[in-house]
């Protein structure tokens, strides 16, 4: 193997072999970022949103409720949008038109008001596969129910979530980043992301979250030069990683190793390449390194002070990571939040927990108990807290100048997605975007992709099942907004991204007749 | 096939076909076990192994500095039932392993005393001699590899002593590589001899057997005695293996491991706590100190399950049936004792008895009955019994194939008991009864326990918002519980339900299956020898001469414990 390496003289005069593991990594050798980077930040909430609290129910400024045009379940008390969006029976409105002192909706409260011209509120994104509780649906892995609760989509081929497509794309990361992606959560250690390690066709494995702010700090900043002279060359320990990788490679050819075992070993080699690349990073930070936080261990408790403290630390570290360009992909699993308690007269907020399989805590129970007004109040309160104390706070921290007139937020796509839609139904899954991905998206609008003139299959208190638009088109939008072309992400000859299978859905009970000829295209009108 | 008394072929090798465990299974299935995939060490195993390795080479004082790094290795998930079955490796693992290796290497290289501890005085010389290198390899790296080094291994590590590195740097490099090696990080079983022409079935070496014992029962590396027994061949003999198995089993670490089994089997960690901010739960728990600082009822409940299972496994060496029917209360918690209506056990002397006619055995302890809210959930209780305790298949409800609102809880009522409300939700609905007919009745019978696990004869209904008592309703615990599909006689009480569960012997079969999954770290492949092993374990669990203790050990006595089936290449 030595013949494949360059040789150089190290700082101590020793001849060192340059590590070769990094050649395995998907990157453009020697390329430097010449344009302002884009970032993809995902924010996920669980079980469901209350549709009528999530979306505006605004009247005034010439707006009326849907009740003014429709009857029956379509008269759902939300604002009727009237401006037509090109590309289908879609409608839109400027978010600023819908602004009130209490925000634009019961959940999307006043602290989001300063960002209305940077937000895109979307209604009508339908998960086509038949899913239940899942990890990666909002990012395109619809086969991720099994470990939470089984569903028909379990049988679908596992694909990487789009954040991982980006994380291993040489277009997205022109050089090897400090960390390809960061995944944080509280309580739950399974991430929403699935990765093939940048090897299309290879095994796809669910990633882990970081639950301790100290670990996040170490992943991002430990060993990185905060000032002074930059390192003169790669860390000689990179060669030791090579040595370890040689052991893994040798083991692959052992006759007692199965094909499945070999995949595991190959995956490990890929991860060793990441470790080695990190050692070889010669960049020094051009930003202010955040303070190292104390270690705060993971737990399944719901102590409000613990929850708030960790979120504050996580948000600061995430923003520092973005500002310092240590990573450009972040996922945030909001398994814990504050919200009102069961006694309406008690204004003190309590902690809430949504476990990975929905088996623990009442957050999940509240979502099922939507017919109970008190449960709805609590559920809306939890999500309002998330909107105002997490999401808006993140946007505030990101909305600082970066290049020209644009802020870090402007150059990012921040995606608040959901595990499911309303009342555990995966139709019209609520979506809120922030930032424009450096001008790719035209923000400041509420886009409604539901075909309100179409058939209402059935309704519940919180929403209608009426055909919207495949969520796959949002995935395509996000991928292209981050600079990728179809050739960078389309697989197996299929247009777009993610499964479009509706297996298991009764066509008489659910919309299944989507226009799949356009499934590889971005969302209509989202670019203005 | 036992080969008692026969000598090993060579150091660490085991004669083909050996079964020092001695238990054979009458079975018409293929003699081969199911495929064993290459497993990483679980995170707990990894952490334990690092600690034990450093202690074994005399540098345990490094450990406090490593705590943060060791804790940064991601936790394993319970998604596959047991943590040790989570075989996923993420970047955070690999980076963490490397960070630990560097921290250990740096500490050793920068401290002459530590360097001497791991590599001898010779490492302080100007150059690292071959003898000195070999001594280090035969110490630190042999322990990390859990077997002696091959010539190729030696050459590989010796190459790091390249003349460019100082002796301390060379040792450091070897430490770092060893602690990230697949030999260290996985339970690698590739050194044995083939038992068939295809090479699919492999006889493990004595060192691999030593690791199966230590990781299986201790969740850490083999100790010096196990490695010595592997080296001198005694581990491959009937008597030598029996001696080591007994020693391993009697070690306190086995108790901790088996507690992981019970804890994860019953999913005790998934309870996220009583929602004590709820006025209605506060009303239900009046007089119980629930949520009061210094009181942790659920911890006490879990401790009770741990203490009971340990007493009946290691103290009394009893059968599962005895554990399932015991009426003793060994909790020392005044809070839990108050819930049960007994005195707390003093820690000595006879155990108090549960109040007659209230509850029976392990399965009706509070930890397995509680809910977060003031209300019980008969569906959850029934599903836990059906799915986890009886191992019967029970799919999760699919909201996409059910009418709207099917999965929403029944509306509150002060005129109906919880059972009546839940029953109304599913009765007469064919779509629901397909599944609910198989488990809900189990939960209805347990309505003699409230949400705190207290015995009750009436149900109090509280206003959710104010906690005001709205009603007191008589409970009904009679139901046609079909433990077996052909059961026709109704059960009238929790005590009777427990008796029927015990008589069914399905709990033994389920424990056998789950323990197999835990111990083998994989699913049972029912078309292989696995099925026979599970059947035999279930039978053994009923045998008073074997009991729980013997059954847990018995897993290490089947021929399959000494073999590995390799998957398709």
């Amino acid at each position: 193997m030595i013949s494949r390496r360059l040789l150089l003289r190290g700082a101590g005069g020793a001849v060192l072999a340059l590590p070769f593991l990094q050649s395995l990594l998907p990157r453009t050798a020697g390329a430097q970022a010449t344009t302002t980077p884009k970032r993809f930040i995902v924010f996920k909430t669980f079980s469901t949103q209350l549709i009528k609290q999530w979306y505006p129910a605004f009247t005034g400024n010439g707006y009326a409720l849907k009740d003014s045009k429709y009857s029956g379940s379509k008269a759902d008390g939300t604002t009727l949008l009237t401006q037509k969006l090109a590309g289908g029976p879609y409608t839109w409105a400027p978010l600023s038109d819908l602004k009130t002192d209490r925000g634009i909706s019961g959940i999307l409260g006043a602290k989001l008001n300063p960002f209305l011209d940077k937000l895109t509120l979307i209604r009508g994104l339908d998960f086509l596969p038949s899913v239940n509780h899942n990890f990666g649906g909002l990012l395109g892995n619809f086969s991720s129910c099994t470990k939470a609760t089984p569903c028909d989509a379990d049988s679908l081929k596992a694909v990487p979530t789009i954040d991982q497509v980006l994380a291993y794309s040489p277009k997205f990361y022109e050089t090897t980043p400090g960390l390809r992606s960061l995944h944080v959560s509280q309580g739950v250690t399974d991430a929403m992301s699935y990765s093939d390690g940048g090897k299309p066709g290879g095994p796809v494995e669910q990633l882990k979250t970081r639950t301790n702010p100290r670990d996040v700090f170490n992943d991002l900043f430990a060993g990185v030069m905060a000032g002074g002279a930059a390192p003169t060359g790669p860390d000689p320990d990179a060669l030791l990683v090579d040595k370890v990788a040689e052991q893994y490679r040798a083991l692959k050819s052992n006759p007692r190793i199965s094909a499945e075992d070999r995949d595991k070993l190959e995956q490990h080699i890929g991860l060793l390449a990441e470790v080695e690349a990190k050692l070889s990073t010669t960049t020094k930070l051009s930003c202010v390194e955040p303070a190292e936080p104390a270690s705060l261990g993971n737990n399944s408790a719901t102590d409000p002070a613990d929850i708030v403290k960790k979120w504050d630390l996580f948000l600061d570290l995430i923003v520092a990571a973005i500002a310092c360009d240590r990573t450009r992909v972040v996922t945030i699993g909001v398994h814990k939040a504050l919200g009102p308690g069961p006694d309406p007269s008690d204004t003190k907020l309590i902690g809430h927990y949504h476990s990975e399989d929905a088996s623990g805590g009442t957050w999940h129970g509240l979502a099922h108990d939507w017919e109970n007004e008190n449960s709805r109040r609590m559920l809306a309160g939890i999500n309002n807290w998330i909107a105002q104390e997490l999401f808006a706070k993140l946007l505030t921290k990101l909305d600082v100048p970066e290049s020209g007139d644009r802020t870090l937020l402007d150059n990012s796509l921040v995606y608040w997605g959901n595990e499911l839609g309303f009342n555990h139904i995966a139709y019209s899954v609520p979506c809120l975007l922030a930032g424009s991905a450096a001008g790719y998206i035209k923000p400041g609008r509420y886009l409604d992709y539901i075909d309100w003139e179409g058939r209402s299959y059935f309704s519940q208190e919180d929403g209608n099942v009426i055909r919207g638009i495949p969520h796959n088109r949002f995935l395509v939008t996000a991928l292209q907004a981050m600079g990728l072309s179809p050739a960078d992400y389309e697989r197996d000859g299929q247009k777009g991204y993610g499964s479009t299978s509706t297996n298991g859905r009764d066509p008489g009970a659910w919309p299944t007749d989507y226009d799949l000829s356009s499934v590889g295209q971005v969302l209509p009108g989202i670019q203005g | 096939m036992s080969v008692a008394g026969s000598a090993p072929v060579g150091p660490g090798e085991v004669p083909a076909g050996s079964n020092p465990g001695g238990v054979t299974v009458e079975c018409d299935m293929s003699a081969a076990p199911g495929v064993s995939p290459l497993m990483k060490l679980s995170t707990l195993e990894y952490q334990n192994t690092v600690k034990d390795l450093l202690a074994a080479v005399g540098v345990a004082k490094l450990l406090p500095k490593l705590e943060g790094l060791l804790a940064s290795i991601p936790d394993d998930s319970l998604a596959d039932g047991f943590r040790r079955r989570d075989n996923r490796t993420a970047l955070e693992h690999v980076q963490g392993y490397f960070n630990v290796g560097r921290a250990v290497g740096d500490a050793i290289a920068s401290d002459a005393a530590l360097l001497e501890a791991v590599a001898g005085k010779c490492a302080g010389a100007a150059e690292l001699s071959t003898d000195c290198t070999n001594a280090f390899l035969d110490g630190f790296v042999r322990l990390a590899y859990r077997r002696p080094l091959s010539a190729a291994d030696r050459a590989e590590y010796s190459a790091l002593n390249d003349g460019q590195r100082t002796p301390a740097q060379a040792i450091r490099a070897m430490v770092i590589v060893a602690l990230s090696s697949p030999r260290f990080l996985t339970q690698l079983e590739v050194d044995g001899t083939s038992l068939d022409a295809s090479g699919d079935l492999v006889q493990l070496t004595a060192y691999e057997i030593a690791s199966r014992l230590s990781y299986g029962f201790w969740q850490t590396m083999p100790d010096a005695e196990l490695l010595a027994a592997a080296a001198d061949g005694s581990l491959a003999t009937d008597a030598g293996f029996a001696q080591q198995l007994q020693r391993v089993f009697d070690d306190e670490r086995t108790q901790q491991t088996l507690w992981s089994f019970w804890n994860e089997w019953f999913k005790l960690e998934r309870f996220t706590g009583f929602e004590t901010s709820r006025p209605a739960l506060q009303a239900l728990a009046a007089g119980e100190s629930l949520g009061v600082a210094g009181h942790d009822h659920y911890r006490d409940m879990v401790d009770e399950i741990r203490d009971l299972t340990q007493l009946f496994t290691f103290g009394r060496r009893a059968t599962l049936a005895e554990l399932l029917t015991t009426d003793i209360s060994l909790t020392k918690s005044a809070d839990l004792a108050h819930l049960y209506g007994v005195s707390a056990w003093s820690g000595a002397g006879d155990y108090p008895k549960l109040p007659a006619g209230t509850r029976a055995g392990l399965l009706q302890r509070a930890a397995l009955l509680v809910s977060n809210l003031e209300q019980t959930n008969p569906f959850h209780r029934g599903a836990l019994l059906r799915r986890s305790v009886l191992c019967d298949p029970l799919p999760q409800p699919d909201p996409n194939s059910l009418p709207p609102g099917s999965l929403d809880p029944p509306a509150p009522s002060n005129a109906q008991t919880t059972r009546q409300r839940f029953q109304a939700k599913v009765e007469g609905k064919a779509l629901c009864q397909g599944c609910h007919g198989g488990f809900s009745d189990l939960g209805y019978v347990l309505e003699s326990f409230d949400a705190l696990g207290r015995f009750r004869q009436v149900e109090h209904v509280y206003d959710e918002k104010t906690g005001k008592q709205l009603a007191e309703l008589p409970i009904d615990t009679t139901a046609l519980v079909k433990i077996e599909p052909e059961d026709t006689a109704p059960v009238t009480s929790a005590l009777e339900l427990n008796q029927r569960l015990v008589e069914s012997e399905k709990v033994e079969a389920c424990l056998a299956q789950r323990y197999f999954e835990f111990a083998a770290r994989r699913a049972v492949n029912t078309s292989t020898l696995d099925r026979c092993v599970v059947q035999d374990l279930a039978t053994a669990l009923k045998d008073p001469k074997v009991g729980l203790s013997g059954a847990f050990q018995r897993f290490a006595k089947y021929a399959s414990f000494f073999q590995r089936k390799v998957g398709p290449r």
Side-chain angles (χ1 to χ4, degrees):
Chain A
M1 293 301 180
I2 193 77
S3 61
R4 294 178 58 187
R5 301 177 192 153
L6 297 173
L7 296 174
L8 83 165
R9 193 155 296 273
V15 174
L16 301 173
L18 271 181
F20 79 97
L21 252 185
Q22 292 163 68
S23 64
L24 302 174
L25 296 175
R27 62 175 184 147
T28 309
Q32 293 297 320
T34 53
T35 55
T36 306
K38 294 182 175 185
R39 290 86 174 197
F40 187 51
I41 303 172
V42 187
F43 197 85
K44 179 182 177 185
T45 45
F46 292 85
S47 269
T48 187
Q49 293 287 349
L50 297 164
I51 291 291
K52 295 175 193 174
Q53 303 258 22
W54 173 272
Y55 289 107
F58 177 84
T59 55
N61 289 348
Y63 288 90
L65 300 182
K66 289 200 163 65
D67 311 48
S68 66
K69 181 175 181 182
Y70 301 109
S71 59
S73 63
K74 289 181 180 175
D76 69 355
T78 61
T79 303
L80 178 70
L81 309 190
T82 52
Q83 299 190 65
K84 300 295 180 192
L85 199 61
Y90 314 130
T91 51
W92 75 281
L95 282 173
S96 56
D97 283 4
L98 311 173
K99 177 180 171 183
T100 75
D101 291 344
R102 286 169 285 106
I104 54 170
S105 73
I107 289 171
L108 305 176
K111 290 187 179 176
L112 286 170
N113 278 351
F115 300 101
L116 292 186
D117 62 345
K118 300 190 178 195
L119 299 180
T120 305
L121 179 63
I122 303 179
R123 188 168 185 180
L125 297 180
D126 298 346
F127 287 176
L128 270 52
S130 178
V131 299
N132 196 342
H133 287 284
N134 65 86
F135 289 97
L138 82 168
L139 294 171
N141 182 310
F142 292 107
S143 61
S144 60
C145 300
T146 310
K147 303 249 168 141
T149 44
C151 67
D152 285 318
D154 286 345
S155 59
L156 298 174
K157 184 181 174 188
V159 297
T161 45
I162 59 168
D163 61 301
Q164 292 303 299
V165 175
L166 294 171
Y168 284 92
S169 163
K171 271 194 185 172
F172 186 71
Y173 282 124
E174 292 168 310
T175 57
T176 305
L179 191 66
R180 291 191 181 275
S181 56
L182 171 68
H183 309 275
V184 302
S185 173
Q186 290 195 41
V188 175
T189 58
D190 287 325
M192 67 186 83
S193 297
Y194 288 69
S195 185
D196 62 2
K199 297 181 179 63
V204 174
E205 203 160 78
Q206 186 176 17
L207 301 183
K208 294 280 187 178
T209 62
R210 282 304 198 188
T211 52
N212 187 330
R214 168 75 74 81
D215 290 335
V216 173
F217 175 86
N218 285 334
D219 289 348
L220 293 165
F221 298 104
V224 177
M225 300 285 288
T232 54
D235 187 324
D237 283 351
L239 298 177
L240 300 181
V241 183
D242 264 7
K243 196 87 178 171
V244 173
E246 283 174 20
Q247 294 186 349
Y248 278 87
R249 270 193 298 276
L251 192 54
K252 275 173 58 185
S253 58
N254 187 297
R256 305 274 165 67
I257 289 296
S258 69
E260 184 186 342
D261 298 341
R262 256 198 313 281
D263 283 344
K264 291 290 297 176
L265 296 170
E266 186 60 43
Q267 179 212 23
H268 201 105
I269 292 167
L271 295 171
L272 283 167
E274 299 290 334
V275 172
E276 188 184 281
K278 200 167 176 179
L279 286 171
S280 303
T281 301
T282 55
T283 3
K284 65 170 185 170
L285 286 182
S286 56
C287 59
V288 179
E289 182 178 317
E292 181 175 349
S295 176
L296 296 171
N298 195 30
N299 60 64
S300 61
T302 52
D303 173 41
D306 181 59
I307 292 172
V308 169
K309 187 174 184 180
K310 277 186 185 152
W311 279 130
D312 282 346
L313 288 167
F314 281 144
L315 293 186
D316 282 344
L317 289 164
I318 288 165
V319 174
I322 296 296
C324 299
D325 201 23
R326 295 294 297 153
T327 190
R328 299 175 187 175
V329 175
V330 181
T331 73
I332 306 167
V334 189
H335 287 276
K336 286 191 188 180
L338 266 51
D343 179 0
S345 67
D346 188 349
T347 56
K348 191 174 154 197
L349 299 181
I350 63 170
H352 294 271
Y353 180 39
H354 195 295
S355 62
E356 60 195 305
D357 62 354
S359 65
T362 52
W363 185 343
H364 172 249
L366 295 172
H368 273 292
D369 199 19
W370 52 269
E371 287 178 306
N372 179 339
E373 167 268 326
N374 202 35
S375 295
R376 293 171 55 79
R377 178 186 61 81
M378 292 170 68
L379 195 59
I382 292 169
N383 283 293
N384 179 266
W385 186 88
I386 293 169
Q388 306 221 74
E389 301 303 325
L390 290 185
F391 195 71
K393 213 176 250 186
L394 175 65
L395 302 190
T396 303
K397 290 172 188 288
L398 285 172
D399 205 23
V400 295
E402 182 179 33
S403 56
D405 294 337
R406 290 205 175 114
T407 64
L408 288 171
L409 174 59
D410 297 330
N411 290 325
S412 304
L413 182 62
V414 186
Y415 164 37
W416 180 351
N418 280 277
E419 180 194 31
L420 294 163
F422 59 97
N423 306 340
H424 279 59
I425 289 167
Y427 282 80
S428 196
V429 182
C431 170
L432 179 66
L433 305 178
S436 67
Y440 184 89
I441 285 172
K442 182 181 177 186
R445 296 178 301 159
Y446 170 17
L447 311 177
D448 187 347
Y449 294 111
I450 292 177
D451 177 6
W452 285 94
E453 303 302 325
R455 172 184 169 189
S456 177
Y457 286 75
F458 66 83
S459 67
Q460 288 185 358
E461 163 72 17
D462 278 294
N464 282 287
V465 174
I466 309 173
R467 189 181 62 196
I469 198 165
H471 173 263
N472 309 64
R473 293 186 68 174
F474 165 73
L475 302 175
V476 168
T477 304
L479 288 162
Q480 295 200 13
M482 292 293 107
L484 269 57
S485 306
D488 301 321
Y489 56 80
E490 288 186 347
R491 294 162 189 235
D492 303 327
Q494 186 203 316
K495 291 289 180 194
Y497 200 81
S499 174
T500 55
S501 166
T502 55
N503 286 345
R505 290 203 189 278
D506 174 1
W510 304 90
T512 55
D513 54 339
Y514 291 87
D515 173 15
L516 297 183
S517 66
S518 58
V519 78
Q521 299 172 16
V522 299
L523 285 168
I526 196 160
Q527 293 182 279
Chain B
M1 182 196 316
S2 178
V3 287
S6 61
V9 179
E13 293 180 18
V14 177
S18 290
N19 172 12
V23 171
T24 54
V25 181
E26 295 276 335
C27 192
D28 60 359
M29 307 294 291
S30 154
V35 167
S36 292
L38 174 63
M39 298 295 290
K40 74 173 177 65
L41 297 189
S42 74
T43 294
L44 179 61
E45 289 170 340
Y46 167 78
Q47 292 162 337
N48 288 341
T49 303
V50 169
K51 291 172 186 172
D52 288 347
L53 172 62
L54 296 187
V57 297
V59 294
K61 74 174 191 179
L62 277 179
L63 288 171
K65 289 183 186 166
L66 294 178
E67 284 299 332
L69 289 174
L70 290 174
S72 76
I73 310 296
D75 288 337
D76 292 314
S77 156
L78 286 169
D80 290 315
F82 297 105
R83 284 213 158 76
R84 63 205 315 205
R85 290 193 58 198
D86 184 350
N87 202 26
R88 288 174 289 166
T89 305
L91 176 61
E92 290 80 2
H93 289 96
V94 180
Q95 183 71 59
Y97 301 146
F98 186 72
N99 291 346
V100 168
R102 279 233 284 195
V104 174
D106 286 344
I108 288 171
S110 61
D111 183 320
L114 294 177
L115 184 63
E116 183 179 330
V118 301
K121 276 190 188 311
C122 56
E127 292 184 357
L128 196 61
S129 67
T130 302
D131 286 348
C132 198
T133 300
N134 280 331
F136 169 75
L137 296 178
D138 290 334
F140 186 95
V141 181
R142 177 184 63 90
L143 290 173
Y145 275 29
R146 307 183 277 275
R147 65 144 172 74
L149 272 63
S150 66
D153 297 330
R154 278 180 203 284
E156 185 186 342
Y157 279 90
S158 297
L160 292 168
N161 182 25
D162 57 2
Q164 304 291 336
R165 295 183 172 91
T166 65
Q169 287 171 337
I171 295 295
R172 173 185 178 277
M174 293 181 210
V175 166
I176 291 172
V177 171
L179 294 185
S180 279
S181 164
R183 289 272 173 194
F184 182 66
L185 296 174
T186 69
Q187 204 168 340
L188 197 56
E189 296 172 332
V190 295
D191 294 336
T193 50
S194 294
L195 291 172
D196 58 11
S198 67
D200 288 350
L201 191 62
V202 179
Q203 177 81 49
L204 301 185
T205 70
Y207 290 102
E208 291 166 345
I209 293 167
S211 282
R212 276 205 175 182
L213 280 174
S214 69
Y215 283 103
F217 290 107
W218 293 347
Q219 305 192 78
T220 191
M221 62 186 277
D223 65 359
E225 192 170 335
L226 269 174
L227 290 174
D232 68 18
S234 59
L235 194 59
T237 66
D238 291 9
F241 180 80
Q243 182 192 348
Q244 289 301 324
L245 174 60
Q246 193 64 54
R247 184 181 72 86
V248 166
F249 192 79
D250 290 342
D251 190 287
E252 192 185 351
R253 288 172 288 188
T254 297
Q255 294 192 25
Q256 293 169 13
T257 299
L258 290 180
W259 169 232
S260 296
F261 166 70
W262 291 100
N263 189 357
E264 293 174 18
W265 182 29
F266 290 146
K267 306 184 188 310
L268 297 178
E269 290 174 33
R270 291 199 167 170
F271 183 72
T272 52
F274 296 104
E275 307 246 346
T276 52
S277 65
R278 298 178 69 85
L281 181 58
Q282 291 164 5
L284 176 78
E288 299 289 359
S289 305
L290 195 74
V292 175
H295 297 260
D296 189 339
H297 285 66
Y298 191 64
R299 183 200 60 204
D300 296 341
M301 293 170 183
V302 171
D303 285 351
E304 182 196 25
I305 302 295
R306 182 198 61 207
D307 294 345
L308 270 175
T309 55
Q310 291 189 346
L311 175 68
F312 280 72
T313 305
F314 297 97
R316 298 186 168 182
R317 304 208 171 226
T319 61
L320 177 61
E322 289 173 280
L323 175 59
L324 293 176
T325 53
T326 181
D327 62 355
I328 66 167
S329 171
L330 44 54
T331 182
K332 296 176 190 168
S333 156
D335 290 336
L336 183 54
H338 188 257
L339 278 178
Y340 286 162
V342 295
S343 304
W345 182 48
S346 65
D350 292 341
Y351 300 110
K353 295 281 176 76
L354 294 168
T358 59
R359 74 186 73 226
L362 176 74
L363 300 175
Q364 292 176 6
R365 304 291 162 148
L368 296 168
L369 298 167
V370 290
S371 58
N372 300 96
L373 312 179
E374 62 278 3
Q375 300 162 353
T376 60
N377 188 318
F379 292 170
H380 286 177
R381 285 177 173 176
L384 176 75
L385 282 182
R386 181 60 74 188
R387 190 182 283 131
S388 295
V389 176
L390 296 173
C391 285
D392 288 326
L394 182 62
Q396 293 283 352
D398 179 0
N400 300 307
S401 59
L402 293 170
S406 294
L407 301 182
D408 302 324
S413 164
N414 55 15
Q416 287 182 303
T417 61
T418 300
R419 171 176 177 167
Q420 288 167 333
R421 291 187 300 115
F422 275 70
Q423 266 185 313
K425 189 85 188 164
V426 296
E427 269 194 355
K429 298 171 183 168
L431 206 54
C432 303
Q433 281 303 314
C435 293
H436 278 272
F439 72 93
S440 299
D441 288 322
L442 290 162
Y444 299 148
V445 177
L446 295 175
E447 277 297 281
S448 56
F449 305 106
D450 69 12
L452 303 177
R454 283 184 307 202
F455 180 75
R456 66 179 178 184
Q457 289 172 308
V458 292
E459 177 180 347
H460 295 125
V461 181
Y462 301 97
D463 182 272
E464 178 187 52
K465 296 177 191 170
T466 65
K468 182 185 170 196
Q469 184 172 319
L470 302 175
E472 181 179 287
L473 304 170
I475 56 164
D476 173 10
T477 58
T478 299
L480 177 52
V481 170
K482 287 181 176 290
I483 295 172
E484 299 286 1
E486 59 273 18
D487 288 347
T488 54
V491 164
T492 60
S493 69
L495 289 176
E496 196 180 338
L497 170 64
N498 196 62
Q499 193 56 38
R500 290 270 292 275
L501 285 168
V502 173
E503 287 167 1
S504 77
E505 300 184 344
K506 285 188 74 170
V507 188
E508 281 87 350
C510 186
L511 187 148
Q513 180 184 330
R514 294 289 180 248
Y515 185 65
F516 181 101
E517 293 164 359
F518 177 82
R521 306 179 69 174
R522 61 182 175 82
V524 177
N525 183 337
T526 54
S527 60
T528 69
L529 185 67
D530 294 357
R531 190 177 84 175
C532 312
V533 167
V534 170
Q535 285 172 353
D536 181 78
L537 272 178
T539 303
L541 278 163
K542 295 174 228 162
D543 184 346
K545 295 194 294 296
V546 179
L548 284 163
S549 162
F552 288 132
Q553 290 179 66
R554 192 174 180 88
F555 182 80
K557 296 180 177 178
Y558 300 109
S560 53
F561 187 79
F562 306 91
Q563 301 167 347
R564 174 177 183 234
K565 177 77 183 291
V566 183
R569 303 330 183 268

